[in-house]
Every structure is written in structure tokens, then in C-alpha cells.
């Protein structure tokens, strides 16, 4: 059994990875909690009451309080990330004790073991702030969304930021091809089709092809063109847990897997060529995407049709303007260059991407 009292516990704070705090004198419960920590790859700190060391209670990324220890922590500083753990399924008083100590969750073993393993593993892997996650979608076919997504990822990785590029469009031909890495060793989307629960962020990252200093999750050349929504949700959540930046190349249709991606984005960029038919098509895409994603902005690409400029395109779509995507050979002819989009650090596309990340990270409060 596992139920919520207030709110979710926070991710681990920067510099703290995998040191949950256990407070209990119940030997059997302690054995169970130590076993679950080991399964999650975490080494806990164990106390019989609130730690005497200044700040230890407040700093722990997760606090597991045995039901026996509830009276001893009643006067501790109220904080997020406290889980009250018991063993008696029929004890109604556990809810009162949870409120008294300000616990976020009540969990009764053994039913809640898998949830607790997942939660411990989350804080063990956490590097603090989740990855800034940006999705790129074309307002019409051939708008240059895949090229811009690659350029954003390459630009992010060039400054040493941990970066993951995710190809969420199974019919797009594969971003690994666009990056010149179709033969690179590593897993592709079909390998994750059976994922249902939690996916380890570190294991995910290490399993993917490394191209141009970033990790790429793309599609293979096989017949698989769909991954279940729950697998998409688990994989993207794992990617975001590791921090840095995640860039997603989105399909133009909003099906269930795409909706799972949209729900985890911080911002979406709608790439729109400056022509009336493209604007009309983009309006329909924006309408569908806007049902799931709150922050959608338009990136306008020239050349411009008579009477149109980037401000007018944004006005017609009713979206904030992210900027004008500069013309560059790689953007106009995807795959036509031996270097990946954005690889030329002083090129116009790389400059656009650099300025975008500077603004985005300031807005996100990241660095």
C-alpha cells in the first residue's frame, strides 16, 4: 500500500547522490529497508532518531521513517521528502502519525516495495535539477525541424553540457543518419519497447550511441515504428533525471507516445517556413500540440513570402516568437553535408542555437 498525504518528495540536491536517511530501531524493518536500498543502488545513512549532525536531516534527499520512530522525529524540522514506513496493513493510526511528522507519503511493506525501490533509485541517480528539455516540431513537412533539433543538441554538447538527442519520430528516417552515425554501436528505440517501469538513467545513457559528444536515441532500420506510451514515458523520464539538456525531434502527429513526450517538455519550438501554406499547416499542428504543451514558441525560417516576416508569422499563429532560424546549407538540404548541423561553431545556425540556449537556461534557472 502506498498513498499520498501531501506532495511528491524532491529530487536530490546538487552534490548529494544516493544517501537516503533511514530512521528506525525496528531491526526487521531496517533489514527490509537496507535490502531495498541495495536493490536501488543506494547506500543509506541509518539513525535511531533525527541525526545530531547539524543539517543532516534537512539535507538528505529522502528520509525513510519507520513507524516505530515517528514519536522521536515529531519535533524535527518540517521538510519535503519524508516517507513513513510501516508493516501493519490494518493500523489506521499510521495516518495520524504521518500528519504529525509532516510525511509526504505513507507506505506499508511489503506491498509498497517496488514504489520505494523506484523512489530510492531516483534520488540515488539524481544530479539535482532535471534536464532542460526542448522539443522541436515542424509546422509542415520539410520545415527543417530535425536539422534544428540536431543543431541544438550539437551546440549544447559543444560547451561540455551533458546532452541527449531523442528521435521521437519513427517515420523521420533516423537522426543517427543525419548525424552520420547510422552504423554506430548502441541501442535504438525498439530495444526499449518492452520497458514498463523505471528505466535507469545511467544505464540508458551508457547504452546509447555517442556521436559528436552527445548521446543519441534514434530508430533502427527495422520494421518497428511504434513504442508503447509507457515505455516512452519511462525512457524520457530517465533521460531527464540525469540533468543537462534533452532535445527531442517530434513527429507532426500527436498520438499517445508523442503526448507522453510533450508532457515532459519545458518548451516546444514550432519550425515554420515563412509562407502562407506553411503557416496554415502550422496552425493545425500548434492547435493539437497546445492541448498538451503549454509553452510552444515559433521559430521562423526564410526565405520570406511577400508580406511576411517573423513577427507576422508569430502573430498569425498566436505564439511567442523564439527567433528567426538562419539559412544554412545543412538546414535546407538535410544530410547533404559531411558535418552535422550546428557543427560549425561560428556559423549562423550555431550562433542561433547558442543564443537560444543562453535564453532558455536563464528562463529555466539553470546554467
Amino acid at each position: 500500500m502506498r498513498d499520498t498525504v501531501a506532495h511528491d518528495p524532491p529530487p536530490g540536491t546538487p552534490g548529494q547522490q544516493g544517501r537516503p536517511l533511514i530512521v528506525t530501531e525496528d531491526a526487521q524493518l531496517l533489514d527490509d529497508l537496507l535490502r531495498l536500498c541495495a536493490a536501488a543502488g543506494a547506500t543509506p545513512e541509518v539513525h535511531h532518531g533525527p541525526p545530531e549532525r547539524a543539517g543532516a536531516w534537512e539535507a538528505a534527499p529522502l528520509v525513510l521513517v519507520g513507524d516505530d520512530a515517528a514519536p522521536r522525529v515529531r519535533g524535527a524540522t518540517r521538510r519535503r521528502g519524508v516517507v513513513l514506513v510501516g508493516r501493519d496493513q490494518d493500523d489506521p493510526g499510521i495516518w495520524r502519525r504521518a500528519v504529525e511528522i509532516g510525511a509526504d507519503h505513507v507506505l506499508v511493506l511489503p506491498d509498497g516495495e517496488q514504489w520505494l525501490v523506484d523512489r530510492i533509485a531516483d534520488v540515488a541517480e539524481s544530479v539535482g535539477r532535471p534536464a532542460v528539455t526542448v522539443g522541436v516540431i515542424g509546422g509542415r513537412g520539410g520545415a527543417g525541424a530535425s536539422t534544428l533539433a540536431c543543431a541544438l543538441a550539437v551546440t549544447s554538447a559543444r560547451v561540455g553540457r551533458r546532452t541527449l538527442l531523442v528521435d521521437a519520430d519513427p517515420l523521420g528516417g533516423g537522426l543517427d543518419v543525419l548525424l552520420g552515425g547510422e552504423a554506430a554501436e548502441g541501442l535504438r528505440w525498439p530495444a526499449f519497447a518492452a520497458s514498463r517501469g523505471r528505466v535507469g538513467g545511467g544505464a540508458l545513457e551508457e547504452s546509447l550511441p555517442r556521436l559528436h559528444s552527445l548521446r543519441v536515441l534514434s530508430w533502427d532500420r527495422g520494421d518497428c515504428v511504434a513504442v508503447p506510451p509507457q515505455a516512452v514515458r519511462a525512457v524520457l523520464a530517465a533521460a531527464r533525471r540525469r540533468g543537462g539538456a534533452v532535445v527531442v525531434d517530434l513527429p507532426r502527429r500527436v498520438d499517445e507516445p508523442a503526448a507522453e513526450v510533450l508532457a515532459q517538455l519545458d518548451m516546444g519550438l514550432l519550425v515554420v517556413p515563412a509562407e502562407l501554406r506553411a503557416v496554415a499547416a502550422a496552425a493545425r499542428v500548434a492547435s493539437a500540440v497546445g492541448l498538451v504543451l503549454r509553452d510552444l514558441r515559433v521559430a521562423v525560417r526564410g526565405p520570406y513570402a511577400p508580406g511576411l516576416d517573423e513577427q507576422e508569422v508569430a502573430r498569425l499563429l498566436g505564439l511567442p516568437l523564439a527567433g528567426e532560424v538562419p539559412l544554412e546549407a545543412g538546414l535546407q538540404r538535410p544530410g547533404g553535408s559531411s558535418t552535422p548541423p550546428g557543427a560549425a561553431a561560428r556559423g549562423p545556425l550555431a550562433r542561433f542555437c547558442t543564443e537560444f540556449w543562453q535564453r532558455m537556461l536563464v528562463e529555466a534557472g539553470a546554467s
Side-chain angles (χ1 to χ4, degrees):
M1 181 180 75
R2 189 272 302 169
D3 290 281
T4 300
V5 174
H7 39 241
D8 289 333
T13 53
Q16 279 193 318
Q17 298 181 36
R19 293 289 289 173
L21 174 64
I22 297 176
V23 182
T24 185
E25 286 185 314
D26 184 326
Q28 185 177 2
L29 179 60
L30 178 58
D31 285 345
D32 285 337
L33 293 178
L34 290 175
R35 172 176 55 84
L36 297 177
C37 285
T43 302
E45 184 176 342
V46 180
H47 292 268
H48 293 163
E52 295 182 1
R53 188 174 75 256
W57 169 269
E58 294 82 1
L62 181 68
V63 179
L64 307 178
V65 178
D67 193 31
D68 66 291
R72 296 193 294 278
V73 303
R74 196 170 291 150
T77 303
R78 293 298 177 104
R79 51 152 293 168
R80 297 178 62 198
V82 176
V83 180
L84 183 61
V85 186
R87 302 184 61 85
D88 186 354
Q89 297 274 1
D90 300 318
D91 178 15
I94 195 171
W95 298 100
R96 173 180 51 80
R97 293 187 290 276
V99 172
E100 289 173 350
I101 68 172
D104 296 321
H105 290 82
V106 171
L107 184 142
V108 179
L109 300 179
D111 289 0
E113 287 192 355
Q114 186 57 57
W115 181 89
L116 188 54
V117 169
D118 289 347
R119 176 54 63 192
I120 296 169
D122 281 348
V123 300
E125 281 196 331
S126 176
V127 295
R129 187 184 302 276
V132 176
T133 308
V134 177
V136 186
I137 185 169
R140 65 154 168 79
S146 296
T147 303
L148 180 57
C150 287
L152 286 169
V154 168
T155 303
S156 173
R158 185 166 45 242
V159 298
R161 187 179 300 116
R162 177 200 164 270
T163 304
L164 177 62
L165 176 61
V166 179
D167 185 354
D169 186 359
L171 302 180
L175 292 185
D176 54 351
V177 176
L178 188 54
L179 291 172
E182 59 269 28
E185 293 186 1
L187 299 183
R188 269 66 171 179
W189 266 118
F192 300 97
S195 300
R196 293 295 184 272
R198 182 184 177 282
V199 174
L204 169 69
E205 188 169 350
E206 291 302 316
S207 72
L208 300 178
R210 183 177 177 85
L211 302 169
H212 307 287
S213 300
L214 58 95
R215 297 286 180 171
V216 181
L217 176 54
S218 189
W219 295 85
D220 61 14
R221 314 284 85 82
D223 295 331
C224 177
V225 293
V227 172
Q230 57 267 38
V232 173
R233 181 191 317 128
V235 168
L236 192 57
R240 297 185 71 237
R241 270 199 305 273
R242 300 284 289 174
V246 175
V247 181
V248 186
D249 183 26
L250 293 159
R252 293 178 60 237
R253 66 188 184 284
V254 182
D255 53 13
E256 288 188 61
E260 292 290 350
V261 176
L262 290 169
Q264 297 195 51
L265 296 181
D266 295 306
M267 179 197 293
L269 288 177
L270 181 64
V271 183
V272 183
E275 55 190 49
L276 287 177
R277 288 189 65 191
V279 172
R284 302 187 67 173
V285 175
S287 178
V289 170
L291 295 175
V292 184
L293 178 62
R294 289 183 297 178
D295 191 352
L296 180 64
R297 309 183 191 186
V298 60
V300 183
R301 197 200 79 186
Y304 291 90
L308 286 181
D309 58 19
E310 62 269 29
Q311 287 85 7
E312 180 64 9
V313 172
R315 187 193 68 79
L316 290 171
L317 292 171
L319 295 173
L321 178 63
E324 178 186 4
V325 181
L327 294 176
E328 195 166 297
L331 187 61
Q332 292 175 300
R333 298 182 291 103
S337 173
S338 60
T339 58
R346 296 186 178 181
L349 183 56
R351 290 199 301 270
F352 171 88
C353 294
T354 297
E355 293 171 2
F356 169 83
W357 282 120
Q358 289 171 346
R359 295 193 307 269
M360 181 68 190
L361 293 172
V362 168
E363 289 184 25
S367 60

